[in-house]
Amino acid sequence: MTKKLLPSILSMVLVLLLASCRNSQGPSHPLINVILPSSLFGKAYADLEAEAQKLGQKSQKDLTKRTLTITTNTGKDFARTIVLQFDAEGNYRYATEKLADINTEKTFVESLLNQGFSQDKQATKAASEGVFTHKERGWVVFISHRSDSDISYVFAPKDEATTSWSRTETKTHETGLWAPLMGLGNTLDLVLRFEARQGHTLDLENTSIEKGYYSFKTNNPDFPATRYWLDKEKKSFLEECAIFVNIDKRPSPDAITEYMRTMGFLLTTLVDQGNPVYYNKETGMAAVAEKNKPKDATTFAPKVQFFKGTPDLANKIMKESLDIPMPILDFGKYTLDEAVELYKKQTYYKSSGPFLLEGIEFGKLIATTSPDFSGILLMEGEGDTAGKYAIAILLAENAMTVTSSYIEKYFVKQLGWIKVSGPAIPTYKDPTGKVMFQIDQSGTFSTYALAFSPNEF
């Protein structure tokens, strides 16, 4: 035990003595040692073993369960068994201990309150689940009273990050969606406590202990269930989780993307059976918003599923905003040389010259200052626009640019363009119906592009 923890221990012992004095005149009930487990969160096994040895406690390590079991040596009346839980990297995450009975629970709660903890009734919807926080020290205690013979508590750092093991906040979004307990490597115990605090109940019909997944009924018609998948080998540690969505209440793609963004998940250029894939660079987690029924599926339940991503997804994150050098759309009026002179007046103009392929000029190339579309290829049209400037192709730097959802947001929501249904590639026309552009996501011009021309639809 480090020196800075000694005052805390002494004050807790005083609480024990005060509790003993208060109850000496009335009905007696079993006392407990109110000293909380170790608060060396984030430390390694060796650090906690050394602390236990210094305090005269016994410790037993189980790497399979990722635990260090601490047993006190103060005699059977005050003997305690505390389980310290570690993560896959060997970092101490939380402690748990059983409470003998209701009276022990009452004494424990009184000790917490006297020690500076406060009860957070807003953090739970279940009478069986108590939440107590110590703001100054950054601690949280969860007490679960599943029955009079099954009472226990968890002592953990207070951390409201989305992937925190001990999160109390639901991270509810305006869509109604919320964040399941998605800290990978977490234990089933904390999952059960988290779901219980939300007022959710275990759905035995859609749970398979043998296969290692657990489903919960939420009593929310729009988002009726959550599910957690444990590791396949030990079926002990969290690997994936999901929140299910009523098929008739699916939020819009923009709403889901905004919900994901609030948790640090950004849209990538990847899709999974037509469903968007998101990635969180900070946590390394990925997610799929499964809104579209697979072609070969007989049943379908929309959901947002979270899981461990791969580092290469960081290179697939879609750009959330673009610098789009808007081309001149007066097609069929000017020659290419005249059009170039007009482009020279644009704020994004950098330089210009002929566009050559194998020595043959196919048009004029405008170099721009945009980091997303470095050039605009100007070409002549055919038929009525033969010999005239009739095509402007914005040349993109990469696939992430042309797959960005910002393109549709910019043209449809800000400029009033209309998305055309029917064409195999994304096509939009301006409000007058005279001009269109198509998004080339396959690299027809040896690069990715937005191709503007007179409207054909």
Side-chain angles (χ1 to χ4, degrees):
M1 181 67 69
T2 58
K3 291 183 179 179
K4 66 178 181 180
L5 294 178
L6 288 177
S8 176
I9 292 176
L10 290 174
S11 59
M12 288 182 179
V13 171
L14 288 174
V15 171
L16 175 61
L17 293 174
L18 288 171
S20 176
C21 292
R22 279 194 295 271
N23 289 289
S24 62
Q25 302 299 321
S28 62
H29 59 261
L31 295 175
I32 64 168
N33 189 337
V34 295
I35 300 174
L36 286 169
S38 175
S39 61
L40 298 180
F41 301 116
K43 296 294 185 179
Y45 285 100
D47 298 311
L48 277 300
E49 288 174 311
E51 181 187 55
Q53 184 177 13
K54 186 180 296 185
L55 294 172
Q57 301 169 340
K58 294 181 180 180
S59 63
Q60 183 175 355
K61 182 165 55 178
D62 188 331
L63 293 178
T64 300
K65 296 180 179 179
R66 301 174 186 169
T67 59
L68 186 67
T69 301
I70 303 296
T71 306
T72 62
N73 265 332
T74 55
K76 67 176 184 177
D77 291 337
F78 293 97
R80 302 171 66 186
T81 299
I82 302 170
V83 178
L84 309 184
Q85 186 69 50
F86 292 74
D87 59 24
E89 288 72 40
N91 302 309
Y92 171 42
R93 301 301 292 267
Y94 70 88
T96 184
E97 182 180 15
K98 291 185 176 180
L99 299 177
D101 51 35
I102 296 176
N103 289 329
T104 303
E105 179 186 11
K106 289 179 180 178
T107 302
F108 182 66
V109 169
E110 182 179 319
S111 301
L112 291 177
L113 296 175
N114 286 336
Q115 191 58 32
F117 282 82
S118 59
Q119 187 172 6
D120 186 356
K121 295 183 179 180
Q122 301 299 317
T124 178
K125 297 179 180 178
S128 62
E129 305 296 317
V131 179
F132 298 81
T133 60
H134 198 304
K135 293 182 179 179
E136 289 74 18
R137 293 185 178 274
W139 295 341
V140 63
V141 171
F142 304 121
I143 301 178
S144 295
H145 188 129
R146 292 163 180 161
S147 71
D148 289 350
S149 59
D150 184 6
I151 310 172
S152 63
Y153 73 87
V154 162
F155 175 52
K158 180 171 173 53
D159 182 1
E160 297 301 339
T162 304
T163 55
S164 167
W165 285 21
S166 53
R167 173 163 54 86
T168 62
E169 297 175 358
T170 57
K171 306 292 185 183
T172 302
H173 186 254
E174 61 184 18
T175 58
L177 285 161
W178 68 88
L181 193 64
M182 63 179 69
L184 300 185
N186 208 338
T187 62
L188 176 61
D189 183 35
L190 284 194
V191 168
L192 292 172
R193 293 175 192 265
F194 178 83
E195 289 293 317
R197 292 197 300 274
Q198 314 315 315
H200 303 166
T201 55
L202 184 63
D203 183 358
L204 293 175
E205 185 177 345
N206 292 297
T207 291
S208 174
I209 296 176
E210 292 183 355
K211 294 182 180 179
Y213 65 84
Y214 295 77
S215 300
F216 297 85
K217 295 179 180 179
T218 67
N219 298 314
N220 184 322
D222 295 342
F223 309 98
T226 56
R227 181 173 293 173
Y228 297 84
W229 290 263
L230 305 182
D231 65 292
K232 295 180 180 179
E233 181 182 352
K234 300 176 182 177
K235 297 179 177 61
S236 300
F237 307 108
L238 183 63
E239 283 198 342
E240 300 185 23
C241 62
I243 178 171
F244 286 77
V245 182
N246 185 319
I247 195 167
D248 297 321
K249 299 291 184 178
R250 285 172 285 183
S252 68
D254 285 350
I256 290 181
T257 296
E258 180 57 31
Y259 157 67
M260 299 301 291
R261 184 184 292 110
T262 62
M263 297 185 295
F265 289 84
L266 301 179
L267 191 62
T268 71
T269 59
L270 303 178
V271 293
D272 180 11
Q273 296 187 342
N275 298 304
V277 177
Y278 299 82
Y279 184 65
N280 186 318
K281 289 192 293 185
E282 183 177 345
T283 65
M285 289 189 67
V288 175
E290 298 181 8
K291 298 204 314 170
N292 303 312
K293 182 179 180 180
K295 293 181 179 179
D296 56 349
T298 55
T299 60
F300 174 59
K303 63 181 181 293
V304 181
Q305 187 159 340
F306 302 87
F307 51 92
K308 184 175 178 59
T310 55
D312 63 296
L313 286 175
N315 299 320
K316 304 292 185 181
I317 292 177
M318 187 180 294
K319 291 193 172 185
E320 292 192 296
S321 63
L322 300 172
D323 180 354
I324 301 177
M326 197 65 183
I328 294 170
L329 303 179
D330 294 326
F331 296 129
K333 292 184 178 181
Y334 310 105
T335 64
L336 287 185
D337 289 334
E338 290 171 338
V340 168
E341 293 304 313
L342 294 175
Y343 272 96
K344 289 181 178 180
K345 300 177 182 179
Q346 304 302 311
T347 57
Y348 55 74
Y349 177 84
K350 189 175 182 180
S351 63
S352 59
F355 180 76
L356 304 175
L357 285 177
E358 297 182 352
I360 301 176
E361 182 174 334
F362 279 80
K364 303 293 184 180
L365 183 62
I366 305 295
T368 78
T369 57
S370 168
D372 302 308
F373 298 92
S374 60
I376 305 177
L377 174 59
L378 314 183
M379 300 178 66
E380 294 179 345
E382 298 177 346
D384 294 341
T385 58
K388 298 291 185 179
Y389 161 61
I391 300 172
I393 301 174
L394 274 61
L395 306 176
E397 289 299 295
N398 49 53
M400 289 187 288
T401 299
V402 293
T403 55
S404 173
S405 59
Y406 179 81
I407 294 175
E408 180 165 319
K409 289 179 182 178
Y410 177 70
F411 281 95
V412 174
K413 293 187 176 181
Q414 294 189 35
L415 302 184
W417 287 55
I418 302 166
K419 188 171 185 178
V420 180
S421 59
I425 60 177
T427 302
Y428 302 82
K429 61 181 180 181
D430 77 338
T432 68
K434 296 180 179 180
V435 178
M436 72 173 192
F437 81 87
Q438 295 182 306
I439 305 177
D440 181 5
Q441 298 174 336
S442 59
T444 302
F445 295 94
S446 298
T447 186
Y448 303 99
L450 306 184
F452 292 79
S453 65
N455 185 28
E456 298 177 1
F457 297 94

